[in-house]
Amino acid sequence: MYVSITGLRLHHPLKAPRFWWHAVRAMAQAQADPGCRQVDARKIDGVHHTRSLWESEAAMRAYLTRGAHLRAMKQFRRIATGGTIGFEADALPDWEACRRIWEDQARQY
């Protein structure tokens, strides 16, 4: 299985409507994707995080390059800064572990 952890920090509170418009649609896309085993989101210390478990890295990459997620990625730099980390694992880490992994290892954009 493949774990993906993301974290986004909005440039400004006025970016929130655009962020949520994209986030809701990208989350629905992930939930409907047959390669996605589990996905959820949480705001921690002002950072909007997602964590997801995929059947493979290829399944996750297929998701991120189409549909609502692709449209969100095209708007990313106008809305937020943030980072991602992906790795092989048998299960999703708990939220505290996700936060630490993201802070220590995520590639920042």
Side-chain angles (χ1 to χ4, degrees):
M1 299 280 195
Y2 189 79
V3 172
S4 176
I5 303 168
T6 66
L8 301 177
R9 195 178 309 271
L10 300 183
H11 290 309
H12 190 279
L14 291 176
K15 300 292 184 176
R18 185 183 293 190
F19 167 78
W20 285 111
W21 192 89
H22 287 290
V24 167
R25 285 155 182 79
M27 179 64 76
Q29 178 188 344
Q31 290 169 332
D33 194 295
C36 184
R37 299 292 175 239
Q38 188 177 347
V39 61
D40 57 0
R42 180 175 289 182
K43 188 175 180 182
I44 302 171
D45 297 330
V47 179
H48 298 273
H49 288 282
T50 62
R51 63 179 185 168
S52 54
L53 183 66
W54 299 85
E55 66 183 29
S56 66
E57 182 177 1
M60 186 277 301
R61 292 197 178 280
Y63 154 78
L64 68 85
T65 59
R66 68 178 187 270
H69 192 273
L70 178 60
R71 288 188 293 278
M73 286 192 341
K74 289 179 179 180
Q75 296 298 311
F76 165 72
R77 292 191 193 280
R78 294 182 182 118
I79 298 170
T81 61
T84 62
I85 178 83
F87 53 91
E88 294 290 329
D90 293 329
L92 275 178
D94 66 31
W95 274 109
E96 182 56 29
C98 285
R99 182 192 58 76
R100 283 193 316 270
I101 292 166
W102 183 82
E103 287 177 354
D104 295 342
Q105 301 175 40
R107 179 177 175 190
Q108 298 296 315
Y109 299 97

